[in-house]
Amino acid sequence: MEIDPVVQQRLTDANQTHLLGYWSELDDEQRITLLNDIIEVDFDRVKDAYDAIKTELVTELNGEVNTHNDSKDKKPVVIDDIMEPIPDHMAGSINEASNEQIKDYRQQGLKAISEGSVCVLLLAGGQGTRLGVDYPKGMFNIGLPSKKSLYQIQAERILRLEKIANEQLDTKNASITWFIMTSEHTQGETEKYFRSHNYFGLKRENIVLFEQHTLPALNFHGKILLEEKYKLAKAADGNGGLYRALKTRAVLDEMNKRHIKYIHVYGVDNILVRLADPVFIGFCLQKNADCAAKVVKKTVPTEAVGVICKVGDRFQVVEYSEILEQTAHRKKSEHSDELAFNAGNICNHFFTLDFLRDVCQKHETELRYHVAKKKIPSIDANGVYVNQPQQINGIKLEKFVFDVFPFSKTFAVWEVRREDEFSPLKNGSGSKDTAATCRQDLMLQHIRWLKEAGADLPSDVNQQIESTENTCEISPLVSYGGENLEFVKGKTFDLPISFELTDEVTEFISDFPTKLCSTNGVKPVAMHTNAISY
């Protein structure tokens, strides 16, 4: 098999001819695989990406300080000197808004949902490698009694929210399309998983999967690494690859066709995420925001989380590693204990379709690449495959979803309670952001809902959840955010507690059990009331 002269010329122009270094050792099938990989590469994009980070990369490798300033006569620009807190008029908080305001936000959000104007967009390109599994993270089961995965919990929240919008706006038109951005590693398994579970009750046409792009992994000199002698080493282009994919996969056109105006974007790993949260949507509409972010207060000044702030006349996320400790501890004012930079980013964003269209058409190529230095399994200089390199041997380039904030003309920030809306699943073991902490946070939230609804629970119920195997789980089909639990008022419950909607029971049952199920270790007996199974 001969090499196409056009391919050879492209490689020569891109200074990547080493990719054909093992051509004579390959069989025809391997040669076809290699050529297909090469044909798919946008070498101009790779070169531009590397050139944009080359100075930063060389500076870091040499252990020098990068001032981001070409003139030695000028004082180096330090982010701490130019960053400012989000102005009060652009921010809102669930803790400070009145009940009337929250009710108004919620009603506006539900109205938009009832009109079919709102969709959700899930960033689900990651596998569960850090969790010790080799399948998409969305398929992970955190150990709830129901054994529901992250995908199922989110699907059921969509179903419940559609029902709420239809009931409160007296319509049948509420429809929330679920766009899911996958990667080459998760697309096939995700599609198969949803199909095998009958899309968890959602309409098939309302689940739209699309694949983000990949970029080749590079060595420190900008050369593309080979994963095998016939295969390029590639990686997904980060969650900020969303904007390229929205354009090239015709997702924006699909949104427009469905008359969608507002998009809620979120990450797959937050067990407490409120998809298409009507309060957040309503807040953004009232602020006339084209781009907005949900945030939580930092637990400590130096928490490893990016903060949203104002830099010059634009808004952006500044990573915790980019600022000095004294900046992290800075207070809002001399007489305040509130941190100046306290808006912790949780990958939970609102965009208008017009804003996304503008970003994708005019600014996508302006988004800078971030460098991730990695130990990348690849073919070394001696032609030997190294599965576990001893040292960092290359870089992966990625964009971040929040890198579009600076292009917003009407930015807004909505602060929520961490215990209600943010508990990420990041680690397979340890004491933070694990399946165990997610499970506990979700169950403690459900305990709070029951207490607020007037249920009589053991005085040490929180301690029981935290220290024993006792459980409390309320299906998202029963309650999206604590509503629809009036039937527990004045009733006494012991752990374990489980509420699940069933198809079998449709009539109201007044004989409510005093205990949901046995706590003596025997298998619980299913009981029903008001179409809810216990």
Side-chain angles (χ1 to χ4, degrees), residues 485-497:
L485 298 174
E486 296 83 1
F487 56 84
V488 305
K489 186 174 182 179
K491 307 297 182 182
T492 301
F493 303 100
D494 287 336
L495 298 177
I497 301 171

Side-chain angles (χ1 to χ4, degrees), residues 264-266 270 273 280 292-294 345-350 421:
H264 177 215
V265 177
Y266 69 99
N270 179 10
V273 66
F280 182 40
K294 266 191 185 184
N345 178 46
I346 59 172
C347 192
N348 196 315
H349 311 308
F350 166 93
E421 299 203 38

Side-chain angles (χ1 to χ4, degrees), residues 400-411:
F400 296 156
V401 67
F402 53 71
D403 286 336
V404 299
F405 289 179
F407 302 112
S408 172
K409 295 179 177 63
T410 50
F411 190 68

Side-chain angles (χ1 to χ4, degrees), residues 94-151:
I94 195 77
N95 294 311
E96 297 176 7
S98 67
N99 291 335
E100 195 60 37
Q101 281 179 308
I102 293 173
K103 183 179 178 182
D104 188 39
Y105 293 154
R106 187 172 185 273
Q107 200 61 23
Q108 284 192 58
L110 287 174
K111 184 175 184 295
I113 291 168
S114 74
E115 295 168 347
S117 300
V118 178
C119 74
V120 290
L121 196 159
L122 168 60
L123 305 172
Q127 289 181 292
T129 308
R130 288 172 63 183
L131 306 177
V133 298
D134 60 357
Y135 50 77
K137 188 182 284 189
M139 292 166 53
F140 194 81
N141 162 21
I142 65 167
L144 292 171
S146 65
K147 297 183 171 30
K148 292 177 182 178
S149 66
L150 297 176
Y151 280 148

